[in-house]
Amino acid sequence: MLSTHLPALQVVLPLASAPVCLLLRHPRHAWACALTISWLVLAIAVMLVQQVAATGTISYAIGAWATPWGIEYRIDMAGALMILVVATIGAVVLPFAGRSIQQEIRKKHSGLFYTCFLLCLAGLLGIVVTGDAFNLFVFLEISSLSSYVLISLGCTRRALTAAFQYLVMGTIGATFILIGVGLLYMLTGTLNMVDISQRLTEVADTRTIRVAFAFVTVGVSIKLALFPLHLWLPNAYTFAPSVVSAFFAATATKVGIYVLLRLFFTVFGIGFSFVAMHVGEIMMLLAAAAMMVASLVAIFQNNVKRMLAYSSVAQIGYIILGISLASRDGVAAGMIHLFNHALIKCALFLSLGCIFLRLGSVELQDMRGLAKRMPWTMAAFVAGGLSLIGLPLTSGFISKWYLVGAALTDGYWPLAVLILLSSLLALIYIWRVVETAYFQVPGAGMPLVKEAPASMLIPAWLLIGANFYIGVDASLVSGIAHQAAGILIEQGVR
Amino acid sequence: MSELLGHYNYWIVIVLMMTGFYIVIARPNLIKKVIGLFIFQTSVFIFFISIAKVEGGTAPIIEEGISVYSNPLPHVLILTAIVVGLATTALGLALVVRIREAYGTINEDDIHVQDEER
């Protein structure tokens, strides 16, 4: 009986427990509450994935209101994959948060931190499961508003300005999406995404729909930090608390990419998005620019967190590149990289969190000779870094293999060259850290730090382990991604 | 001419939207940025209300002898969006208060200078 309500529970559970955390207030209790909820959410997510795999797309009517009128929750294979990403990262990051937050956030704010974290989790999951365009906007704002707060909790004052900058850009993006939804509603008279897509065929050749398309695309692109709309991202990731950076790098931008997939394929269709509006070419150009420029900028960063933030912008480029090909292989490659990069980047940010706990800094110059003091943490960073570069036997290799394959199938060999070049740039910026931590002697007067506690190392190593597992046997992830891409392409061709 | 006058509400929307957007981009004062952002959002609210209007329609209350009603759905949507807008403005202002406590200024240029110094 309960299993039919899983799509709603997925969102309602974290949403309803957020106020509980607020009431608990005591850091330990709030943490335990959030931890329990995040594991329950993961359990629900796994059950949902199994359901989707067994019975196909799930459609759930909220409050039993029939679909075009009521709000529909709709989960297909692509959605299931995203739910799995968000829920897994939430569940892995929270055990880490206990110690990390204790040090980085004032005690009286800890309860509030977990409240906002659960709200953000609920918002992100809501974006994925909803099949209603306006509902999507609301969930987007739930996750965004809580993420502004989470970022502002960082320990330096620059966290405040970073959060404000993100608030301004994020709100402009969300309002653009709202305008687009309004224009779509104006011509189709419906908000249900599947319903919109069916009615759109008659009115697609109007300026209103083209403007709507432009507004939502730009709005979502701000949210997912597509180059050159990524300006909020480096500061936000650099100055946010370590846990928040790890959580956002793995989920927030990825969910944005999922929304883009939904719009391009499910709502507007390939014929409109890629043929009539040429969004494929535009995205391809921006993605290629992101891969090169952001990787180059990353090389020159001395703050390692900032370096990884720029690397995130570059990696988003890879994912968008796959999607811009608009072929089954391309979209599948994009989704595989989305999944893999979520694991890699989360692990990297978590290991930086360990370093910050002990050193109180993530500046490159303070990390000299650190590998001797914190061998496990640095090993995790190196393993994640290798995967970011795309060495064989790591998950990064798998996704780049599929990406290059998809680009070559469509005859875009320059893109394959760019992917390899950008990987070389990744090698350079990861090497800078490795060189500093392993081969330089610590300066005089540098603190004698201990290895990070197990509660923080285990989450990071879990993700690293998953990363190597995928590197050896990618059949599960690539199977789900290809199935999801197949459904999206099928929806897109009409 | 009738094109212009007939769609005057949409012109108001565009003017408000661009005014808000300009304030957000051009003003260094953070409070003014928040105000600009709110004007920007408000213009979209008016846009939604405009598309709800059905020519000759009345308020959507069932009444004898009336068959044409305006569409109430956009109004409901906008009630939600107003709440979201308020939350955003409140959070934005709260951040500005904290920024002023930390930096002693709410001017973006001065904040940049202070950030560069450190």
Side-chain angles (χ1 to χ4, degrees):
Chain A
M1 189 54 220
L2 198 65
S3 64
T4 53
H5 294 294
L6 287 180
L9 269 178
Q10 177 86 69
V11 180
V12 170
L13 201 64
L15 195 63
S17 7
V20 177
C21 276
L22 185 67
L23 292 174
L24 285 172
R25 255 329 185 13
H26 188 275
R28 275 270 153 223
H29 301 165
W31 174 69
C33 170
L35 189 66
T36 320
I37 296 300
S38 75
W39 285 359
L40 280 177
V41 165
L42 179 60
I44 296 175
V46 172
M47 281 191 269
L48 272 173
V49 173
Q50 283 170 344
Q51 261 188 37
V52 174
T55 60
T57 306
I58 301 175
S59 170
Y60 178 87
I62 290 283
W65 290 94
T67 34
W69 296 282
I71 292 170
E72 182 197 17
Y73 279 5
R74 198 180 175 82
I75 309 173
D76 57 15
M77 214 55 201
L81 184 70
M82 280 313 300
I83 292 177
L84 197 63
V85 171
V86 176
T88 310
I89 299 296
V92 170
V93 148
L94 267 175
F96 180 96
R99 273 303 291 280
S100 180
I101 287 305
Q102 201 184 1
Q103 192 214 9
E104 288 182 36
I105 293 181
R106 266 184 291 171
K107 202 177 167 201
K108 64 172 186 174
H109 291 157
S110 300
L112 296 172
F113 170 84
Y114 293 112
T115 308
C116 285
F117 187 89
L118 284 179
L119 279 177
C120 191
L121 189 65
L124 292 172
L125 290 168
I127 296 172
V128 178
V129 296
T130 191
D132 183 281
F134 189 78
N135 202 228
L136 186 133
F137 163 76
V138 175
F139 277 126
L140 196 74
E141 282 298 59
I142 291 178
S143 69
S144 302
L145 282 168
S146 44
S147 57
Y148 308 145
V149 179
L150 288 175
I151 289 168
S152 73
L153 288 172
C155 38
T156 58
R157 61 179 184 175
R158 289 195 68 178
L160 297 170
T161 42
F164 188 83
Q165 193 188 11
Y166 183 21
L167 181 135
V168 169
M169 283 194 79
T171 306
I172 290 171
T175 311
F176 273 16
I177 296 171
L178 190 61
I179 299 169
V181 171
L183 290 168
L184 278 175
Y185 179 74
M186 205 172 166
L187 283 200
T188 59
T190 176
L191 290 167
N192 184 294
M193 287 190 203
V194 177
D195 209 21
I196 292 178
S197 72
Q198 281 160 4
R199 293 171 186 225
L200 209 61
T201 36
E202 296 158 30
V203 289
D205 198 24
T206 55
R207 187 179 291 166
T208 314
I209 295 298
R210 285 188 213 116
V211 172
F213 182 78
F215 267 118
V216 283
T217 306
V218 174
V220 177
S221 298
I222 294 178
K223 285 285 177 187
L224 67 84
L226 178 66
F227 183 87
L229 300 170
H230 66 282
L231 294 172
W232 58 267
L233 188 141
N235 274 341
Y237 283 13
T238 311
F239 301 112
S242 309
V243 188
V244 176
S245 306
F247 181 64
F248 283 173
T251 57
T253 46
K254 305 294 179 292
V255 168
I257 293 169
Y258 171 80
V259 175
L260 208 63
L261 279 172
R262 272 274 160 272
L263 289 171
F264 286 174
F265 293 96
T266 311
V267 176
F268 287 99
I270 294 176
F272 182 80
S273 314
F274 289 93
V275 181
M277 297 295 286
H278 298 287
V279 81
E281 285 91 330
I282 301 168
M283 288 286 166
M284 198 179 284
L285 210 66
L286 294 178
M291 277 158 48
M292 300 312 293
V293 178
S295 298
L296 266 177
V297 177
I299 294 176
F300 297 100
Q301 301 305 318
N302 284 324
N303 183 317
V304 183
K305 239 173 144 186
R306 202 179 190 84
M307 187 190 90
L308 288 185
Y310 276 108
S311 146
S312 265
V313 177
Q315 302 292 322
I316 289 163
Y318 284 101
I319 302 169
I320 296 291
L321 189 71
I323 295 168
S324 72
L325 294 169
S327 64
R328 182 164 177 269
D329 287 344
V331 175
M335 294 195 73
I336 295 170
H337 194 56
L338 187 153
F339 186 86
N340 292 345
H341 178 244
L343 300 185
I344 302 167
K345 213 24 99 46
C346 189
L348 282 170
F349 271 114
L350 287 183
S351 55
L352 278 188
C354 294
I355 294 172
F356 191 80
L357 179 87
R358 292 303 189 211
L359 276 186
S361 152
V362 285
E363 294 288 333
L364 208 52
Q365 61 199 14
D366 297 332
M367 287 169 64
R368 274 174 294 169
L370 195 66
K372 285 206 181 67
R373 309 261 165 71
M374 304 176 77
W376 286 101
T377 309
M378 278 319 295
F381 188 92
V382 172
L386 290 179
S387 194
L388 206 61
I389 298 160
L391 230 64
L393 292 183
T394 61
S395 63
F397 176 72
I398 302 291
S399 37
K400 280 181 188 169
W401 176 267
Y402 278 111
L403 258 179
V404 170
L408 288 179
T409 316
D410 288 0
Y412 290 109
W413 63 265
L415 288 182
V417 175
L418 279 183
I419 293 171
L420 295 178
L421 270 179
S422 169
S423 303
L424 278 179
L425 294 178
L427 177 66
I428 299 175
Y429 59 71
I430 292 297
W431 176 253
R432 279 188 73 205
V433 180
V434 173
E435 203 254 345
T436 313
Y438 281 85
F439 301 115
Q440 286 192 13
V441 221
M446 273 171 79
L448 282 165
V449 290
K450 284 188 308 195
E451 181 57 273
S455 68
M456 293 171 74
L457 278 175
I458 291 170
W461 274 99
L462 267 180
L463 291 172
I464 295 290
N467 157 39
F468 281 118
Y469 174 75
I470 294 169
V472 176
D473 176 17
S475 54
L476 186 68
V477 178
S478 99
I480 294 180
H482 275 92
Q483 211 179 330
I487 293 172
L488 282 169
I489 298 283
E490 201 178 300
Q491 284 172 341
V493 179
R494 42 178 106 103
Chain B
M1 195 62 198
S2 67
E3 275 282 292
L4 277 178
L5 289 176
H7 293 296
Y8 74 94
N9 40 356
Y10 293 105
W11 288 112
I12 293 175
V13 169
I14 292 169
V15 169
L16 273 181
M17 189 183 286
M18 288 304 118
T19 312
F21 206 35
Y22 177 78
I23 298 173
V24 174
I25 295 169
R27 294 284 130 188
N29 185 317
L30 296 185
I31 296 275
K32 286 184 183 169
K33 269 189 198 295
V34 176
I35 295 172
L37 209 57
F38 197 65
I39 295 175
F40 181 62
Q41 287 180 305
T42 309
S43 74
V44 183
F45 304 161
I46 299 176
F47 166 68
F48 265 75
I49 302 299
S50 294
I51 64 174
K53 177 67 182 163
V54 175
E55 217 164 296
T58 62
I61 303 164
I62 296 178
E63 187 81 32
E64 251 180 60
I66 295 172
S67 56
V68 184
Y69 301 105
S70 278
N71 184 357
L73 185 70
H75 299 176
V76 183
L77 300 182
I78 280 325
L79 274 180
T80 315
I82 288 173
V83 176
V84 171
L86 269 182
T88 312
T89 310
L91 181 59
L93 290 174
L95 279 176
V96 176
V97 172
R98 290 285 307 280
I99 288 173
R100 165 144 167 102
E101 282 170 8
Y103 286 86
T105 172
I106 53 166
N107 188 306
E108 203 180 30
D109 302 333
D110 296 347
I111 291 171
H112 269 300
V113 172
Q114 288 194 34
D115 280 341
E116 293 300 312
E117 278 169 5
R118 295 186 67 194

